[in-house]
Amino acid sequence: MTVKLTPYITLEGRVKEAIQFYEQAIGAQVLSMMTYGDMPDMPGTFTDDLRSLVAHAKLKVGGTELMLSDAPGGSPVETGKRVTICVTTNDVEESKRIYEALRQEGQVNMPFKEEPFSPGFGDVTDKFGVTFQIYTELED
């Protein structure tokens, strides 16, 4: 079982621009990117602008990774949520255990469940006001 911490940046509709900037500025390489329109359960009622926003992107920067997403609809990002910490494991049960531990006396922002981009994902702000995204990534 592995556990790693990754900075996760949430922007208001500017992730594609940020990716281009980070490619030039720090030599970032795109490992994966999914728009809201790429998500299988995306309702057809959303505008083309929303469908083109980035739901999840992963970049490689040297020997590390950086993750990014656009806030749905380009909505304002709450204070303390622009940069969060993504805890990644390769085991759904371990991810759930970490999620449950961090949510004690904290706040659930997104319940832990299967998502199109992860077999186990949740978002929680701990009792100290630090926001964590718990992300499961199974090895191929």
Side-chain angles (χ1 to χ4, degrees):
M1 197 240 353
T2 62
V3 177
K4 65 181 177 180
L5 302 179
T6 306
Y8 199 111
I9 298 172
T10 303
L11 300 175
E12 298 157 348
R14 297 182 65 193
V15 166
K16 289 178 182 174
E17 179 185 346
I19 288 171
Q20 291 176 339
F21 176 75
Y22 295 140
E23 285 174 327
Q24 296 298 314
I26 57 177
Q29 298 173 308
V30 177
L31 297 177
S32 63
M33 184 168 61
M34 175 186 285
T35 66
Y36 286 101
D38 294 333
M39 296 177 72
D41 296 330
M42 182 75 172
T45 58
F46 290 103
T47 65
D48 287 341
D49 288 343
L50 175 59
R51 295 173 76 73
S52 69
L53 292 177
V54 176
H56 180 73
K58 186 188 322 183
L59 309 180
K60 180 176 176 152
V61 182
T64 63
E65 292 179 352
L66 176 65
M67 295 183 186
L68 302 97
S69 68
D70 282 313
S75 57
V77 178
E78 297 175 37
T79 301
K81 292 276 289 178
R82 184 163 311 273
V83 178
T84 60
I85 298 170
C86 183
V87 180
T88 303
T89 81
N90 61 350
D91 180 89
V92 174
E93 289 306 312
E94 179 63 6
S95 291
K96 187 171 185 176
R97 184 198 66 74
I98 291 169
Y99 174 87
E100 291 296 332
L102 288 172
R103 69 175 266 205
Q104 299 304 309
E105 299 179 54
Q107 173 185 329
V108 170
N109 304 315
M110 241 181 119
F112 187 86
K113 62 181 179 146
E114 184 175 342
E115 294 288 350
F117 53 86
S118 174
F121 177 83
D123 185 301
V124 63
T125 301
D126 73 9
K127 65 183 179 181
F128 302 105
V130 178
T131 300
F132 292 88
Q133 296 181 45
I134 313 304
Y135 176 73
T136 310
E137 182 174 68
L138 300 179
E139 297 170 357
D140 294 329

